[in-house]
PDB file of all heavy atoms in Angstrom:
ATOM      1  N   LEU A  81     -42.597 280.092 180.585  1.00 98.00           N
ATOM      2  CA  LEU A  81     -42.238 279.234 179.481  1.00 98.00           C
ATOM      3  C   LEU A  81     -40.828 278.595 179.692  1.00 98.00           C
ATOM      4  O   LEU A  81     -40.674 277.383 179.516  1.00 98.00           O
ATOM      5  CB  LEU A  81     -42.282 279.997 178.132  1.00 98.00           C
ATOM      6  CG  LEU A  81     -41.894 279.211 176.902  1.00 98.00           C
ATOM      7  CD1 LEU A  81     -42.866 278.059 176.705  1.00 98.00           C
ATOM      8  CD2 LEU A  81     -41.851 280.089 175.690  1.00 98.00           C
ATOM      9  N   LYS A  94     -43.989 275.759 173.005  1.00 98.00           N
ATOM     10  CA  LYS A  94     -42.776 276.113 172.240  1.00 98.00           C
ATOM     11  C   LYS A  94     -42.405 277.531 172.413  1.00 98.00           C
ATOM     12  O   LYS A  94     -43.232 278.422 172.566  1.00 98.00           O
ATOM     13  CB  LYS A  94     -43.008 275.809 170.745  1.00 98.00           C
ATOM     14  CG  LYS A  94     -43.337 274.357 170.435  1.00 98.00           C
ATOM     15  CD  LYS A  94     -42.098 273.528 170.438  1.00 98.00           C
ATOM     16  CE  LYS A  94     -42.396 272.031 170.185  1.00 98.00           C
ATOM     17  NZ  LYS A  94     -42.768 271.302 171.423  1.00 98.00           N
ATOM     18  N   ARG A  95     -41.108 277.781 172.310  1.00 98.00           N
ATOM     19  CA  ARG A  95     -40.582 279.158 172.378  1.00 98.00           C
ATOM     20  C   ARG A  95     -40.320 279.619 170.932  1.00 98.00           C
ATOM     21  O   ARG A  95     -39.317 279.190 170.327  1.00 98.00           O
ATOM     22  CB  ARG A  95     -39.286 279.225 173.208  1.00 98.00           C
ATOM     23  CG  ARG A  95     -38.888 280.580 173.654  1.00 98.00           C
ATOM     24  CD  ARG A  95     -37.426 280.398 174.165  1.00 98.00           C
ATOM     25  NE  ARG A  95     -37.126 281.351 175.226  1.00 98.00           N
ATOM     26  CZ  ARG A  95     -36.011 282.101 175.153  1.00 98.00           C
ATOM     27  NH1 ARG A  95     -35.197 282.061 174.112  1.00 98.00           N
ATOM     28  NH2 ARG A  95     -35.671 282.876 176.158  1.00 98.00           N
ATOM     29  N   VAL A  96     -41.186 280.472 170.360  1.00 97.00           N
ATOM     30  CA  VAL A  96     -41.027 280.866 169.013  1.00 97.00           C
ATOM     31  C   VAL A  96     -40.653 282.318 168.905  1.00 97.00           C
ATOM     32  O   VAL A  96     -39.557 282.776 168.632  1.00 97.00           O
ATOM     33  CB  VAL A  96     -42.244 280.453 168.163  1.00 97.00           C
ATOM     34  CG1 VAL A  96     -42.133 280.981 166.712  1.00 97.00           C
ATOM     35  CG2 VAL A  96     -42.428 278.968 168.137  1.00 97.00           C
ATOM     36  N   CYS A  97     -41.712 283.212 169.229  1.00 97.00           N
ATOM     37  CA  CYS A  97     -41.416 284.658 169.138  1.00 97.00           C
ATOM     38  C   CYS A  97     -40.908 285.183 170.476  1.00 97.00           C
ATOM     39  O   CYS A  97     -40.196 286.155 170.530  1.00 97.00           O
ATOM     40  CB  CYS A  97     -42.639 285.367 168.731  1.00 97.00           C
ATOM     41  SG  CYS A  97     -43.926 285.426 170.034  1.00 97.00           S
ATOM     42  N   ASP A  98     -41.297 284.537 171.583  1.00 98.00           N
ATOM     43  CA  ASP A  98     -41.021 285.026 172.929  1.00 98.00           C
ATOM     44  C   ASP A  98     -41.519 286.436 173.198  1.00 98.00           C
ATOM     45  O   ASP A  98     -40.970 287.140 174.050  1.00 98.00           O
ATOM     46  CB  ASP A  98     -39.506 284.915 173.181  1.00 98.00           C
ATOM     47  CG  ASP A  98     -39.141 284.757 174.647  1.00 98.00           C
ATOM     48  OD1 ASP A  98     -39.988 284.254 175.426  1.00 98.00           O
ATOM     49  OD2 ASP A  98     -38.018 285.173 175.062  1.00 98.00           O
ATOM     50  N   ARG A  99     -42.511 286.905 172.408  1.00 96.00           N
ATOM     51  CA  ARG A  99     -43.023 288.294 172.544  1.00 96.00           C
ATOM     52  C   ARG A  99     -44.524 288.400 172.461  1.00 96.00           C
ATOM     53  O   ARG A  99     -45.046 289.431 172.048  1.00 96.00           O
ATOM     54  CB  ARG A  99     -42.432 289.129 171.373  1.00 96.00           C
ATOM     55  CG  ARG A  99     -40.928 289.217 171.263  1.00 96.00           C
ATOM     56  CD  ARG A  99     -40.387 290.103 172.389  1.00 96.00           C
ATOM     57  NE  ARG A  99     -38.954 290.313 172.188  1.00 96.00           N
ATOM     58  CZ  ARG A  99     -38.020 289.441 172.448  1.00 96.00           C
ATOM     59  NH1 ARG A  99     -38.389 288.209 172.887  1.00 96.00           N
ATOM     60  NH2 ARG A  99     -36.754 289.686 172.221  1.00 96.00           N
ATOM     61  N   ALA A 100     -45.269 287.343 172.867  1.00 97.00           N
ATOM     62  CA  ALA A 100     -46.772 287.426 172.828  1.00 97.00           C
ATOM     63  C   ALA A 100     -47.284 287.606 171.411  1.00 97.00           C
ATOM     64  O   ALA A 100     -48.310 288.256 171.243  1.00 97.00           O
ATOM     65  CB  ALA A 100     -47.266 288.571 173.728  1.00 97.00           C
ATOM     66  N   GLU A 101     -46.601 287.122 170.454  1.00 96.00           N
ATOM     67  CA  GLU A 101     -47.048 287.402 169.036  1.00 96.00           C
ATOM     68  C   GLU A 101     -47.376 286.163 168.219  1.00 96.00           C
ATOM     69  O   GLU A 101     -47.674 286.379 167.012  1.00 96.00           O
ATOM     70  CB  GLU A 101     -45.964 288.268 168.330  1.00 96.00           C
ATOM     71  CG  GLU A 101     -45.970 289.659 168.857  1.00 96.00           C
ATOM     72  CD  GLU A 101     -44.832 290.511 168.324  1.00 96.00           C
ATOM     73  OE1 GLU A 101     -44.160 290.100 167.412  1.00 96.00           O
ATOM     74  OE2 GLU A 101     -44.587 291.595 168.840  1.00 96.00           O
ATOM     75  N   CYS A 102     -47.290 284.952 168.791  1.00 97.00           N
ATOM     76  CA  CYS A 102     -47.487 283.834 167.887  1.00 97.00           C
ATOM     77  C   CYS A 102     -48.365 282.726 168.505  1.00 97.00           C
ATOM     78  O   CYS A 102     -49.014 281.995 167.735  1.00 97.00           O
ATOM     79  CB  CYS A 102     -46.165 283.217 167.427  1.00 97.00           C
ATOM     80  SG  CYS A 102     -45.342 282.264 168.761  1.00 97.00           S
ATOM     81  N   GLY A 103     -48.393 282.510 169.774  1.00 98.00           N
ATOM     82  CA  GLY A 103     -49.282 281.543 170.398  1.00 98.00           C
ATOM     83  C   GLY A 103     -48.659 280.180 170.570  1.00 98.00           C
ATOM     84  O   GLY A 103     -49.317 279.278 171.154  1.00 98.00           O
ATOM     85  N   ALA A 104     -47.419 279.914 170.093  1.00 98.00           N
ATOM     86  CA  ALA A 104     -46.814 278.626 170.233  1.00 98.00           C
ATOM     87  C   ALA A 104     -46.590 278.158 171.654  1.00 98.00           C
ATOM     88  O   ALA A 104     -46.467 276.961 171.975  1.00 98.00           O
ATOM     89  CB  ALA A 104     -45.507 278.587 169.431  1.00 98.00           C
ATOM     90  N   CYS A 105     -46.550 279.148 172.593  1.00 98.00           N
ATOM     91  CA  CYS A 105     -46.254 278.820 173.968  1.00 98.00           C
ATOM     92  C   CYS A 105     -47.578 278.758 174.829  1.00 98.00           C
ATOM     93  O   CYS A 105     -47.473 278.820 176.054  1.00 98.00           O
ATOM     94  CB  CYS A 105     -45.376 279.909 174.507  1.00 98.00           C
ATOM     95  SG  CYS A 105     -46.237 281.575 174.553  1.00 98.00           S
ATOM     96  N   TYR A 115     -50.187 283.221 177.120  1.00 98.00           N
ATOM     97  CA  TYR A 115     -48.861 283.006 176.536  1.00 98.00           C
ATOM     98  C   TYR A 115     -47.855 282.825 177.689  1.00 98.00           C
ATOM     99  O   TYR A 115     -47.559 283.790 178.414  1.00 98.00           O
ATOM    100  CB  TYR A 115     -48.396 284.203 175.681  1.00 98.00           C
ATOM    101  CG  TYR A 115     -49.295 284.482 174.502  1.00 98.00           C
ATOM    102  CD1 TYR A 115     -49.634 285.749 174.159  1.00 98.00           C
ATOM    103  CD2 TYR A 115     -49.774 283.475 173.663  1.00 98.00           C
ATOM    104  CE1 TYR A 115     -50.438 286.045 173.047  1.00 98.00           C
ATOM    105  CE2 TYR A 115     -50.594 283.694 172.617  1.00 98.00           C
ATOM    106  CZ  TYR A 115     -50.947 285.013 172.264  1.00 98.00           C
ATOM    107  OH  TYR A 115     -51.731 285.262 171.185  1.00 98.00           O
ATOM    108  N   ALA A 116     -47.311 281.591 177.792  1.00 98.00           N
ATOM    109  CA  ALA A 116     -46.310 281.342 178.886  1.00 98.00           C
ATOM    110  C   ALA A 116     -45.053 282.222 178.742  1.00 98.00           C
ATOM    111  O   ALA A 116     -44.358 282.475 179.724  1.00 98.00           O
ATOM    112  CB  ALA A 116     -46.014 279.907 178.937  1.00 98.00           C
ATOM    113  N   CYS A 117     -44.800 282.662 177.537  1.00 98.00           N
ATOM    114  CA  CYS A 117     -43.532 283.517 177.321  1.00 98.00           C
ATOM    115  C   CYS A 117     -43.762 284.898 177.943  1.00 98.00           C
ATOM    116  O   CYS A 117     -42.796 285.639 178.115  1.00 98.00           O
ATOM    117  CB  CYS A 117     -43.251 283.697 175.840  1.00 98.00           C
ATOM    118  SG  CYS A 117     -44.416 284.673 174.923  1.00 98.00           S
TER     119      CYS A 117
HETATM  120  S1  FES U   2     -43.564 282.222 172.062  1.00 89.60           S
HETATM  121 FE1  FES U   2     -45.034 283.095 173.313  1.00 89.60          FE
HETATM  122  S2  FES U   2     -46.461 283.926 171.909  1.00 89.60           S
HETATM  123 FE2  FES U   2     -44.793 283.325 170.649  1.00 89.60          FE
END
Side-chain angles (χ1 to χ4, degrees):
Chain A
L81 178 63
K94 300 282 178 275
R95 195 193 211 232
V96 176
C97 69
D98 205 26
R99 299 289 184 286
E101 286 172 12
C102 75
C105 64
Y115 298 139
C117 70

